[in-house]
Amino acid sequence: MKINTNNLKLILTVCLITFCIQTPDVKLGFVKISEILLLLIVPFLFKKSINKFIFYFLVFFTVEAILGLIMTSTHHFEILGPSKFKAPYIITIGRYFELIACISLCILTFRLFKKSPQDSKKIIDYLVNWNVAITAIFFLIFLVVKIGLLSAQHSIVIYDSNRLRGLYNEGGPFGLMLSFIFILTFFQENTRQRLFKQLFLFIIIAFCARSKAGILFVVVWIALYNFQILKHKLRAFVIPLILIFSVGFYFLFINVSYMYFNEFNRIKLSIKERPTDINLILGRVSGVYIVPKMVEDNPVFGIGMGNYPLLRNNAEYRSIFPKPPKESIDIDAHGFGGIVDIIVEMGLVGFFFFMFIIYGLCQEIKTFNKGTVLVLGFLLIYCFGVQIYFLYPWVLLAVILAYRNNYIDEISN
């Protein structure tokens, strides 16, 4: 029997893309296996010309890595961990290689559509259906744990009060990844099967992963996707809705300000009671206080690529927060997503150039059905907490670029 090599290459490539989407927490030591694979194929991918927008991002990250090394020389790091790989300069180079892995995945996915535009529907179906199938397997494990046949500790994919996380570190990031798959379903035919997959994904995001960011992202995406319909239907109510929104925003701002004042006092008390609780002294809680100080001190070029987990330990930034435990001293992330990553580590200059690339893409794709909405979807993923060096958003960018180049059929209404 003769093997269709083109079809085999297509299937193997989609397998690799799916592996990269699903396995950010599968590591060899401290390095993600998916990133190792993507870095190994970089020389082969760079032999040929690449899409101009991918090239712009490559240049952007390269320049920012060089600026990051320069900015690192201006900092004093008070507290460093034992790892030689998470030392000044080394961590910047490591973060740059992570971003190169993202670029590698983007090129790989884009070229898959470019080489086989006639199979674009098949590729989208593979990507969606295989990821939904893997999620279904995780859901079955979730049910087995729920009924008591397996402990959460031995399930690998479940943690913390039976919360589904897949092969991610937490349920929140896992839910956001599923919301990306939710976006891809819109490239499939509008059938009952597609609706079933969308409902299944939303149920997993909301009730199994319990990802608040994932839920909100899906809601915002659906609103953006149907904006023209909503605008037409609600045209008569635009002014009253603006007035209601303005009044609501004012009261919300006052209440949130009051809440943060009380929360700050509560946190100060909690720190005294639980000075070693990493859920309290790391992540978003401390990031609320640390990030603004870093931006204020380094507004133009940022603190340097990859430097946040090291520089945040300086007394001038962590203020009321104690020094992290030794095992967590160089692993912290603020948790506010890729846009804040860029502002903090690359400064306003980096943010401007990143948005300039996004603006250029918007200008080229705005005449395509839902083109601008797709680009906003790529941008919003980073606004909901996904770090800039996560792999799967770059698959979405590749799909958007393939759509722009007519390698993918028109997205459904």
Side-chain angles (χ1 to χ4, degrees):
M1 184 178 69
K2 188 176 180 180
I3 299 174
N4 188 329
T5 55
N6 289 333
N7 194 51
L8 181 61
K9 286 179 182 178
L10 185 150
I11 291 171
L12 290 175
T13 305
V14 176
C15 283
L16 176 57
I17 295 167
T18 302
F19 179 81
C20 293
I21 291 169
Q22 289 283 346
T23 60
D25 221 35
V26 178
K27 300 178 180 179
L28 189 62
F30 58 88
V31 182
K32 299 170 187 174
I33 293 176
S34 55
E35 290 178 347
I36 294 173
L37 295 173
L38 291 169
L39 289 172
L40 287 173
I41 64 173
V42 162
F44 305 100
L45 295 175
F46 282 16
K47 279 183 177 181
K48 298 179 181 178
S49 62
I50 60 178
N51 176 272
K52 66 178 181 180
F53 287 104
I54 302 176
F55 178 73
Y56 295 157
F57 279 115
L58 174 62
V59 172
F60 169 65
F61 291 140
T62 302
V63 171
E64 285 299 334
I66 295 168
L67 287 174
L69 292 172
I70 295 170
M71 292 306 299
T72 299
S73 67
T74 67
H75 297 312
H76 169 66
F77 299 90
E78 292 179 8
I79 303 167
L80 296 173
S83 174
K84 299 297 182 184
F85 293 99
K86 292 189 176 180
Y89 301 104
I90 301 297
I91 199 168
T92 299
I93 296 169
R95 184 69 79 228
Y96 176 65
F97 279 126
E98 285 188 286
L99 292 169
I100 291 299
C102 293
I103 294 293
S104 173
L105 181 59
C106 192
I107 295 171
L108 182 73
T109 308
F110 176 76
R111 284 202 184 143
L112 180 64
F113 286 105
K114 184 178 180 179
K115 287 180 180 178
S116 309
Q118 72 281 1
D119 293 323
S120 64
K121 184 183 180 299
K122 183 193 294 186
I123 296 167
I124 290 290
D125 284 343
Y126 282 162
L127 281 171
V128 171
N129 296 342
W130 292 359
N131 280 282
V132 169
I134 291 168
T135 306
I137 293 170
F138 292 155
F139 178 61
L140 289 175
I141 297 172
F142 178 82
L143 292 178
V144 170
V145 170
K146 270 289 187 182
I147 62 178
L149 295 178
L150 180 69
S151 68
Q153 293 91 331
H154 293 101
S155 69
I156 301 176
V157 299
I158 296 166
Y159 78 115
D160 247 12
S161 305
N162 294 339
R163 190 176 176 189
L164 187 62
R165 68 179 181 91
L167 296 175
Y168 281 66
N169 64 333
E170 291 180 338
F174 179 63
L176 280 166
M177 182 276 291
L178 293 181
S179 66
F180 150 71
I181 303 299
F182 188 90
I183 290 178
L184 290 188
T185 61
F186 284 79
F187 283 97
Q188 295 186 302
E189 290 182 14
N190 192 0
T191 61
R192 288 183 180 179
Q193 287 84 357
R194 190 185 84 170
L195 179 61
F196 174 78
K197 281 179 268 193
Q198 290 171 337
L199 286 172
F200 172 72
L201 288 169
F202 187 76
I203 288 169
I204 300 298
I205 292 167
F207 301 107
C208 299
R210 303 204 293 276
S211 171
K212 295 182 286 293
I215 296 169
L216 189 57
F217 181 83
V218 168
V219 171
V220 171
W221 165 257
I222 292 173
L224 282 172
Y225 196 82
N226 295 285
F227 177 74
Q228 292 299 327
I229 298 172
L230 292 172
K231 187 173 71 172
H232 178 72
K233 297 286 186 183
L234 302 175
R235 184 176 296 172
F237 304 98
V238 168
I239 293 177
L241 284 171
I242 290 173
L243 290 173
I244 292 169
F245 176 80
S246 300
V247 173
F249 181 80
Y250 171 76
F251 284 107
L252 180 64
F253 178 79
I254 297 298
N255 288 331
V256 168
S257 299
Y258 182 72
M259 180 191 73
Y260 270 106
F261 177 78
N262 290 334
E263 187 71 5
F264 184 69
N265 291 328
R266 187 188 69 78
I267 286 172
K268 286 198 290 186
L269 179 63
S270 298
I271 287 171
K272 291 179 181 178
E273 295 172 350
R274 298 179 284 137
T276 59
D277 185 352
I278 61 172
N279 293 317
L280 178 64
I281 64 176
L282 299 178
R284 288 191 183 95
V285 177
S286 60
V288 168
Y289 306 98
I290 294 171
V291 166
K293 290 181 181 179
M294 286 184 170
V295 174
E296 184 181 354
D297 290 349
N298 307 272
V300 181
F301 296 111
I303 62 172
M305 185 184 288
N307 281 333
Y308 180 84
L310 305 183
L311 204 61
R312 58 89 59 211
N313 293 325
N314 285 13
E316 64 193 282
Y317 293 125
R318 56 185 169 85
S319 61
I320 64 170
F321 293 89
K323 184 176 75 172
K326 187 176 181 180
E327 65 275 8
S328 307
I329 207 162
D330 53 12
I331 64 168
D332 190 27
H334 49 71
F336 298 127
I339 300 300
V340 177
D341 276 339
I342 292 170
I343 294 172
V344 174
E345 298 188 352
M346 306 176 194
L348 294 177
V349 170
F351 176 72
F352 170 80
F353 280 107
F354 180 83
M355 294 306 298
F356 186 74
I357 298 171
I358 295 296
Y359 174 77
L361 179 56
C362 274
Q363 288 297 105
E364 287 208 4
I365 204 172
K366 65 182 181 181
T367 57
F368 287 69
N369 183 35
K370 308 296 182 184
T372 303
V373 174
L374 286 167
V375 177
L376 287 175
F378 171 72
L379 197 60
L380 281 172
I381 284 180
Y382 293 123
C383 295
F384 281 88
V386 177
Q387 305 294 341
I388 194 72
Y389 47 84
F390 267 45
L391 291 170
Y392 67 83
W394 297 90
V395 176
L396 178 58
L397 178 63
V399 170
I400 293 169
L401 293 172
Y403 183 53
R404 157 67 186 84
N405 286 274
N406 295 306
Y407 302 143
I408 299 178
D409 294 336
E410 186 175 39
I411 193 168
S412 64
N413 285 309

